[in-house]
Amino acid sequence: MAEKENKHPENVDGSYYVDDQCIDCDLCREEAPDNFTRQEEEGYSYVYKQPENKEEEELCKNAMDGCPVEAIGND
């Protein structure tokens, strides 16, 4: 389960975030490319844009549900 106090600093403000458990598997970036991106130097994902419509919300939820290490949170 993702922990808000461990979220990466690059995450934009909002309900979705990625914490330090991310293993850079690329699932979230493939599922919701309009919302997740990669921090290249350190090798992890983060939320660069919060979902703005139902479609993006559903894709972010799918990414969260599919994350193999539960590094995506939605508070």
Side-chain angles (χ1 to χ4, degrees), residues 13-69:
D13 288 338
S15 61
Y16 282 94
Y17 61 91
V18 179
D19 76 2
D20 61 4
Q21 296 181 73
C22 179
I23 59 171
D24 197 27
C25 73
D26 199 36
L27 183 140
C28 63
R29 298 187 304 265
E30 288 180 3
E31 184 68 33
D34 292 335
N35 304 98
F36 294 88
T37 194
R38 184 172 193 264
Q39 203 287 345
E40 295 295 333
E41 290 179 20
E42 300 292 323
Y44 56 80
S45 294
Y46 63 93
V47 177
Y48 75 97
K49 183 176 79 80
Q50 293 292 328
E52 297 178 343
N53 55 51
K54 282 188 173 192
E55 180 183 351
E56 287 183 358
E57 179 74 33
E58 185 65 27
L59 292 173
C60 286
K61 184 180 181 317
N62 290 346
M64 184 175 70
D65 291 345
C67 180
V69 294

